[in-house]
Amino acid sequence: MTLPAGYTRWNSRIHVNSTVKHQNTNKKQLVCKLKKSLYGLKQAPRQWFSKLSTTLKDCGFSQSKTYYSLFTRSEGESLVTVLVYVDDLLIAGNDHTAIQQVKAFLSSTFHMKDMGALRYFLGIEADSTEQGIFLSQKKYARDLIKEYGMHKSKAVRVPMEAHTKLTPELGDPLSEPTEYQRLVGKLIYLTITRQDIAYAVHILRVLLASKSAALLTAYTDSDWAGCPMSRRSTTRFCVLLGSSPISWKSKKQTTIAKSSAEAEYRAMALTSCEVTWLTQLLKDLGLKNLGPAILKCDNKAALSIAANPVHHERTKHIEVDCHFIRDKINEGCIKTQYTPSGEQLADIFTKPLTISQQHLLFPKLGVRFSHT
């Protein structure tokens, strides 16, 4: 693709000289320069973020290399962070005066509306207390229930019975699966604050504690050959900063594990990648003195493989990238620990658990029950 006449390079200013004017006889090659990006154009979001990023950097902010939508400015003990989602901004920090200065600076450049203290953002409600910040999606869940005509339905205590296994042979195929797929997507978003959809939405809240140790603790687990169709295992992990859950995931593994130890080891490797990313992100947020992250697993064989660099017969077929965890252990970034299966927090993300087990694990994930 050749650039239109008048452009010296992509995203450059129009540079038309007399030579170009005389040589350009085809008017179809002429283009107009937009001084302001318009909504609906493919380049509009890119140009908006470019303008916003430049403005924040001019205000002394640094863009995180770990999460590009995060900007931080640190001056001595003062820390201000800006999190960007399209054209919505969350501004936080420990210096109220600096925050007000940032707001004033941005308002002088953009047409902005200050919504005050954080109360509701992207379907998530935030309630600040002395204990910390409670996050819930009560309104989002109620609107979802009403949308699908289930507001008069009787509630159940658990979504699935323990040890239930679903297969394609069960039930009748849907004639129009689109609406069902849309509902599943909305329920996935609901898991931001509801790690397990076991109780009525309006009584569950997740607490981000205000006073908690700056220590990353990760729980990782895998159900070996858990999928009855593909026989692939599912990796699940949960990462806590102090006592606050900040990351969790459940993902089917790409290959079939030949043993439970291999499935658990692959889960540990994936969790190590997440912990490494979170460690760097927290450093961008000013937590410079983080100690080694604790990685807890309930499989002693997998822990032994991670600690022993010698390739045994049972591990030589495992891809090299799975041994990433060994490097992190040697570097002192991660310490592994054994945890009993009954205390494995990661189980809650992929297994239908009993009510008693959920009551045991929920408080450890920061879930609180509200009767309002």
Side-chain angles (χ1 to χ4, degrees):
M1 175 181 175
T2 58
L3 292 173
Y7 279 85
T8 57
R9 54 188 171 82
W10 183 87
N11 204 28
S12 66
R13 294 182 177 275
I14 293 181
H15 179 71
V16 180
N17 53 36
S18 58
T19 305
V20 175
K21 288 182 179 179
H22 290 300
Q23 291 179 351
N24 185 15
T25 57
N26 187 358
K27 294 184 178 180
K28 293 183 178 180
Q29 293 181 356
L30 297 177
V31 295
C32 295
K33 176 188 177 182
L34 288 177
K35 293 185 177 180
K36 181 179 180 181
S37 186
L38 303 178
Y39 282 98
L41 296 181
K42 289 185 177 181
Q43 290 295 324
R46 182 190 188 100
Q47 295 300 325
W48 153 248
F49 189 74
S50 176
K51 173 65 175 178
L52 179 61
S53 301
T54 302
T55 303
L56 288 172
K57 290 177 182 178
D58 291 342
C59 191
F61 282 84
S62 299
Q63 187 175 17
S64 172
K65 302 300 181 184
T66 308
Y67 192 75
Y68 288 107
S69 296
L70 175 66
F71 297 82
T72 61
R73 189 181 73 180
S74 179
E75 298 176 349
E77 297 295 327
S78 175
L79 175 66
V80 180
T81 64
V82 177
L83 184 64
V84 181
Y85 181 83
V86 192
D87 56 355
D88 293 327
L89 278 66
L90 280 180
I91 304 176
N94 59 3
D95 189 336
H96 180 72
T97 301
I99 292 176
Q100 295 302 319
Q101 291 174 350
V102 171
K103 288 182 179 180
F105 176 79
L106 292 174
S107 297
S108 65
T109 308
F110 304 103
H111 294 290
M112 296 184 62
K113 183 177 181 180
D114 188 353
M115 304 299 293
L118 179 63
R119 291 288 182 269
Y120 191 81
F121 186 72
L122 301 179
I124 303 174
E125 300 169 63
D127 183 17
S128 298
T129 67
E130 292 183 356
Q131 294 177 276
I133 301 176
F134 283 99
L135 301 181
S136 68
Q137 291 173 285
K138 180 168 60 177
K139 182 179 183 304
Y140 175 85
R142 284 179 173 174
D143 292 344
L144 183 60
I145 292 172
K146 186 176 180 181
E147 178 183 352
Y148 286 89
M150 300 183 66
H151 54 287
K152 295 183 180 180
S153 301
K154 184 178 180 180
V156 295
R157 300 189 70 180
V158 292
M160 293 176 61
E161 295 182 1
H163 311 299
T164 299
K165 294 288 185 181
L166 298 179
T167 64
E169 291 75 23
L170 295 176
D172 299 323
L174 296 173
S175 57
E176 295 292 337
T178 304
E179 192 65 25
Y180 173 77
Q181 293 168 347
R182 185 179 296 111
L183 172 59
V184 171
K186 293 179 179 180
L187 291 176
I188 290 174
Y189 187 70
L190 189 59
T191 61
I192 291 177
T193 57
R194 297 205 35 211
Q195 294 94 331
D196 181 73
I197 306 173
Y199 298 94
V201 174
H202 68 278
I203 64 170
L204 286 184
R205 300 194 298 176
V206 174
L207 171 66
L208 300 181
S210 59
K211 297 179 180 179
S212 185
L215 174 67
L216 284 177
T217 304
Y219 291 82
T220 181
D221 196 13
S222 177
D223 60 338
W224 179 42
C227 178
M229 288 80 70
S230 65
R231 308 307 297 173
R232 287 191 289 169
S233 308
T234 300
T235 292
R236 50 185 176 266
F237 65 74
C238 174
V239 185
L240 292 83
L241 176 62
S243 59
S244 302
I246 59 174
S247 178
W248 51 87
K249 190 173 187 178
S250 176
K251 182 179 181 181
K252 190 176 291 184
Q253 295 181 0
T254 56
T255 59
I256 299 176
K258 294 185 177 181
S259 66
S260 60
E262 178 186 341
E264 297 276 1
Y265 185 64
R266 292 180 182 276
M268 291 176 68
L270 179 62
T271 308
S272 298
C273 294
E274 181 73 7
V275 168
T276 301
W277 179 79
L278 286 171
T279 300
Q280 185 57 51
L281 182 61
L282 290 172
K283 288 181 178 179
D284 290 342
L285 288 170
L287 297 178
K288 305 295 184 181
N289 298 319
L290 283 171
I294 306 299
L295 180 59
K296 296 193 176 186
C297 177
D298 59 4
N299 189 288
K300 293 182 178 180
L303 290 170
S304 299
I305 295 173
N308 189 353
V310 179
H311 285 203
H312 299 286
E313 287 294 325
R314 62 191 300 186
T315 62
K316 65 181 182 181
H317 63 283
I318 301 178
E319 294 87 343
V320 175
D321 60 343
C322 289
H323 300 300
F324 165 81
I325 183 176
R326 290 178 179 169
D327 296 333
K328 293 301 174 183
I329 293 175
N330 292 334
E331 293 171 5
C333 300
I334 291 176
K335 289 183 178 180
T336 57
Q337 286 185 3
Y338 173 76
T339 187
S341 297
E343 300 177 8
Q344 178 55 269
L345 299 187
D347 280 350
I348 204 167
F349 301 108
T350 54
K351 287 183 180 179
L353 302 178
T354 62
I355 295 175
S356 59
Q357 187 69 3
Q358 287 183 338
H359 277 284
L360 174 65
L361 297 180
F362 267 8
K364 296 181 180 180
L365 287 172
V367 175
R368 298 292 185 269
F369 298 88
S370 172
H371 299 288
T372 58

